[in-house]
Structure formats: structure tokens, C-alpha cells
Amino acid sequence: MITRLHDPDYARWAAQIRATGGCRQPIHLRGRVDHIDRATGELLHRYTTRTEPGGVLRVPCKTRRASRCPACAEVYRADTYQLIRAGLSGGKGVPETVTGHPCLFVTLTAPSFGVVHARREKNGKVLPCHARRDAATCPHGRVMSCTKRHGTEDACLGEPLCGDCYDYAGSVLFNALASQLWRYFTDALRRRVAKLGGLTLRELRERLTIAFAKVAEYQRRGVVHFHAVIRLDGPDGPASPPPAWATADALADAVRHAASAVSVPVPAVANEPARVLRWGAQLDIRPITMGGELTEQAVAGYIAKYATKAAECVGTLDRRISPLDDLDALPLREHARRLIAECFRLGTLDNLADLRLTQWAHMLGFRGHFSTRSRHYSTTLGDIRADRETFVREEEISTGRLPLFDEDTVLVVAEWEYAGKGLAPGDALLAAALTGVPLADPGGPR
Ligand SMILES: [Zn+2]
Ligand SMILES: [Zn+2]
Ligand SMILES: [Zn+2]
């Protein structure tokens, strides 16, 4: 810290750090940008990192994951919020008439893989976890009952009453196939909506489109479930209204039907029986209405928050784990350790090779995208980022930090190379003080 503070380049270093917005693990780039006159070949302007502190430019890591970099994840969260909100209430190129389209917030859950400790509430009162008067004893000698009223932070939440009875294989297979189940669900939903309108799928496409925005959330028991905005539009997307028969009630009916209709078969392998994976019985369907019980701000906030999270609440690690690692030596929760071990076990089976369970063991089998939108949902994250970059560039030009050249006559040649990542411990302290982003996330994984 002292060396950095006394460095003659300190002011420029601090400016770079401020420009990263408090990124905890900035990427270091070495290189240059030349502006060349197309007609004469004359070099009009050159930016080079040679004169920067340490000879590098520090840029934000742009991760979406709050556990890795809270500052960059916050940018991702805010962008996702704007994108989801535009699809619900208009803006960013989406007309405000979209608020009149039928729109639901749907939660699709995983089925049960065994009894787990849970906090249950009814009318604001906490109920016993799993109280059974004549509880059976499992083959491992454990009584299948828990009369505790668990607090929100109890470490046992999501852990099985008996780990030896728990269907670990089912749990990781569900995660591995959840994205496929989601695809089948959207196909079934289109077919059902077409049927309700008395149309073929081809005819449906000419009159109606179904827009989706979904996010995956890990439950503490280690399975993903999906939250999704599902909206009905006319044939041209959010700018056109859906036909009158396509109401929110009709959509809810179709969602219920599609969720119960789809399944993914898993063939019998080694000691595992053949299975058919389906959504859990718990299906939540709520209309999104302006100023109603579930508002568009609430939904956008909810989806954006989960878009920056991964499996950390389950107590796994935020990085790849190799089958050669000693699982007992890693800081994992016991339940997560068993889920990871199960991924490694099933990952060796030829028939399941496509699921790549070994590579995705740290994600407990899930390898899908956390947050996805259908093409016409609203704007894209790319467009939102491009708008921000244009804004920053124009600001730099107007304040004289970047030269203003006519784009048609000037050739921009950029050469960049990766030169490292992160901050030295002293630099990290200074960066936290400069940007107001706390050094470590106190609510990180156990
Ligand atoms: Zn970052
Ligand atoms: Zn319990
Ligand atoms: Zn048992």
C-alpha cells in the first residue's frame, strides 16, 4: 500500500481503478490503439499502455457472479433488471402497449429426492420441520421426523434427514437434464396454446408468439428450479397484440398442462434403475400486473438477483473440481460433497457421458445457462452494454480524453494481449477505499 501511494503514477492508477468500478479481479491488458488516416496512412493518434502504471490497462472482469466480483455482478444485475423490466412495462425499444399482453410469473420446481430439513411458515408462524407422530425408522436406523422449528440460517436446511436414503443420483441427473426438460416444456406449451386456439403450430406462428425470460435458482437441497416470465405477443413480438382468445387464463391453463405433460427418460445404467424425470408437483403461476399483487418491478428485481448467483447457497465451490481432488480436504458442506461425489461416479458411465457430469460437478450437475431470454422478449444485454459503451466514449470525446475523428476516414487498429488478473493485497485495500466496494463478501459460502 505504501509503495503504491508513493508511486509517482498513483493518480493514474487510482483513475484506472475507479474506472473499473471497484472490480475485485480486474483484467490487465497490454497493447495499443492506433487511429490511422485511411487516405494518407498517417498516424493520427496512438494510445499505448506503455505509459500506464505497470505498463497495463486494468479493465473490469465483467463476471455475472456476485461471489467472484460484487461490483461487476452489480452491473450485470442492473442490466438484467432493465432488460426484464422493459419486457414487462415497455422501454428500450419495447412499446408500452406490452403491458396489456397476458403475462405470467411461473416457477417450475424439481421433484423430491428424499425428505430434507426445511423451514415452513404458515400465517407468519414457523411450523415444525417434518413432525410425524408415528415416524418410520429408515433402513439406516434414523427416525424420519424432525420437530424443530428451523431458523432462516440453520445450517441443516436443505440437508436430508438421512443422507443414506437420499436419492443423490436422481438429484444430479435432474440438474443435468433440467435445461432439456425446460425445452420440452416450451414446446409443449406452444402445442397446447395452439390447441386452445384451434390452430396448427404453423398457423399459431402467424398469429401469436410466446416470449420467455427465465432464470435458474439453486435450492438449498442442491437442485435447480426455474423462475420464468411467460408473455403472449402477436406475430411480430411485443409490438403486436396477441389474438383476443389468448388470455392470461388460457396461458395459465396451457402452462399447467405443459408442466405436467413433459418428461425426460434416463436409461438404466450400472446400478441405477431407468428413470423418468419430471417437474415437481409444486407449480406456482402468478399473473404480473401493474400495481397488483405481483408488480413488474418485483419480478424484474427477483430475476435480476438470481441471475448473479450460482450454487453457493448449497455449500459447493465456485470453481471446477477435479475427480483427482481430495473431496474430504475441500471446504464443502457434507450434502454438497455427496452430490459432487455422485457427479463423479455417474460421470464415469459411458451412457451418461453426454451429460458431462464430471466437468460440472461443482455445479452439482447443472450446466445450462443461468439466465436466458427468447429472441423477442425485449432488448438484449449486448445492446444495453453497447449503449453504455457509446455513452462513455462520447463522454470521453467531449471531455477531450479521446480524439474525435470521422469514422469514415479513420481506421482504428487495436492490438491487445492478456497480461494478468487481479489485485495485490495492498492494491485491493486501496481499491476498496477508492471505490467504496467492500473487500470481501461477508455473506459468502460456508
Ligand atoms: Zn469484476
Ligand atoms: Zn429439520
Ligand atoms: Zn436412511
Side-chain angles (χ1 to χ4, degrees):
M1 268 177 74
I2 291 167
T3 313
R4 177 67 72 192
L5 282 166
H6 286 286
D7 192 302
D9 280 343
Y10 174 76
R12 177 57 199 155
W13 179 84
Q16 274 197 18
I17 292 299
R18 278 194 204 94
T20 66
C23 176
R24 189 181 280 177
Q25 46 177 13
I27 311 290
H28 301 180
L29 295 174
R30 198 177 291 130
R32 60 172 203 222
V33 182
D34 288 347
H35 287 73
I36 297 163
D37 189 314
R38 275 178 196 276
T40 65
E42 181 195 352
L43 180 64
L44 300 171
H45 183 270
R46 167 172 285 176
Y47 165 79
T48 165
T49 56
R50 210 172 299 151
T51 53
E52 296 281 10
V56 294
L57 180 68
R58 292 154 187 88
V59 297
C61 71
K62 296 192 179 174
T63 182
R64 69 166 186 87
R65 295 173 69 157
S67 57
R68 291 184 187 168
C69 177
C72 291
E74 174 53 24
V75 173
Y76 187 92
R77 191 200 62 75
D79 285 356
T80 305
Y81 178 88
Q82 295 302 337
L83 186 160
I84 298 295
R85 180 137 191 236
L88 298 173
S89 52
K92 308 256 169 225
V94 180
E96 261 174 51
T97 49
V98 79
T99 53
H101 296 196
C103 194
L104 301 176
F105 187 56
V106 174
T107 299
L108 292 156
T109 60
S112 171
F113 298 104
V115 182
V116 297
H117 293 283
R119 178 183 163 90
R120 285 174 226 289
E121 275 180 67
K122 200 177 177 185
N123 305 326
K125 263 185 71 185
V126 183
L127 303 179
C129 164
H130 189 77
R132 297 289 181 275
R133 201 166 298 129
D134 304 307
T137 304
C138 83
H140 312 96
R142 295 181 181 105
V143 180
M144 284 292 137
S145 173
C146 173
T147 53
K148 290 206 184 86
R149 295 166 200 267
H150 293 298
T152 48
E153 294 303 318
D154 275 12
C156 68
L157 286 179
E159 299 202 335
L161 266 59
C162 175
D164 298 313
C165 284
Y166 197 74
D167 182 8
Y168 282 96
S171 178
V172 300
L173 286 169
F174 181 86
N175 281 351
L177 291 162
S179 299
Q180 193 173 338
L181 200 53
W182 167 261
R183 268 197 311 282
Y184 289 178
F185 164 75
T186 58
D187 289 346
L189 184 62
R190 279 190 199 93
R191 281 197 301 275
R192 185 67 180 183
V193 170
K195 196 172 170 199
L196 290 175
L199 305 167
T200 64
L201 268 181
R202 180 192 300 255
E203 289 164 342
L204 182 76
R205 230 170 288 142
E206 288 157 12
R207 286 165 220 200
L208 181 151
T209 50
I210 307 179
F212 301 95
K214 83 163 201 304
V215 71
E217 181 201 351
Y218 275 87
Q219 294 183 291
R220 287 184 76 125
R221 60 182 167 133
V223 282
V224 286
H225 60 198
F226 291 134
H227 302 286
V229 172
I230 306 179
R231 190 187 66 212
L232 296 180
D233 296 332
D236 302 320
S240 56
W245 57 265
T247 60
D249 284 344
L251 178 59
D253 176 84
V255 166
R256 238 172 261 123
H257 180 271
S260 63
V262 293
S263 62
V264 178
V266 185
V269 282
N271 294 326
E272 295 300 326
R275 299 163 183 268
V276 178
L277 294 172
R278 299 174 173 282
W279 299 114
Q282 205 187 326
L283 171 68
D284 193 40
I285 304 175
R286 291 197 281 167
I288 305 167
T289 47
M290 303 271 272
E293 193 197 331
L294 184 63
T295 63
E296 77 279 4
Q297 288 104 317
V299 169
Y302 204 59
I303 290 194
K305 181 178 96 181
Y306 284 114
T308 66
K309 294 194 184 303
E312 48 269 46
C313 74
V314 191
T316 174
L317 289 186
D318 190 12
R319 63 162 173 86
R320 287 250 158 112
I321 302 172
S322 152
L324 300 174
D325 287 334
D326 177 7
L327 286 187
D328 292 329
L330 295 174
L332 300 165
R333 261 174 81 196
E334 177 56 22
H335 185 54
R337 192 189 317 275
R338 291 185 77 155
L339 287 164
I340 291 165
E342 194 63 17
C343 286
F344 289 153
R345 189 178 75 83
L346 297 174
T348 59
L349 303 175
D350 284 346
N351 306 25
L352 300 177
D354 289 351
L355 301 181
R356 303 177 61 216
L357 285 164
T358 305
Q359 288 91 324
W360 295 96
H362 64 301
M363 300 294 274
L364 316 175
F366 181 64
R367 66 186 188 294
H369 290 289
F370 265 78
S371 129
T372 58
R373 269 82 44 192
S374 60
R375 201 154 55 89
H376 293 299
Y377 175 75
S378 68
T379 181
T380 65
L381 283 177
D383 284 346
I384 291 179
R385 288 189 191 122
D387 283 352
R388 184 169 44 236
E389 272 154 30
T390 306
F391 175 82
V392 170
R393 202 183 128 73
E394 280 168 1
E395 205 187 43
E396 291 197 326
I397 290 170
S398 64
T399 55
R401 272 173 288 169
L402 263 182
L404 175 60
F405 293 123
D406 185 349
E407 282 177 24
D408 296 334
T409 62
V410 170
L411 186 64
V412 181
V413 181
E415 257 178 57
W416 294 108
E417 67 177 87
Y418 177 82
K421 185 181 181 179
L423 294 167
D427 285 353
L429 280 169
L430 286 173
L434 279 167
T435 58
V437 177
L439 206 55
D441 180 9
R446 259 177 290 255

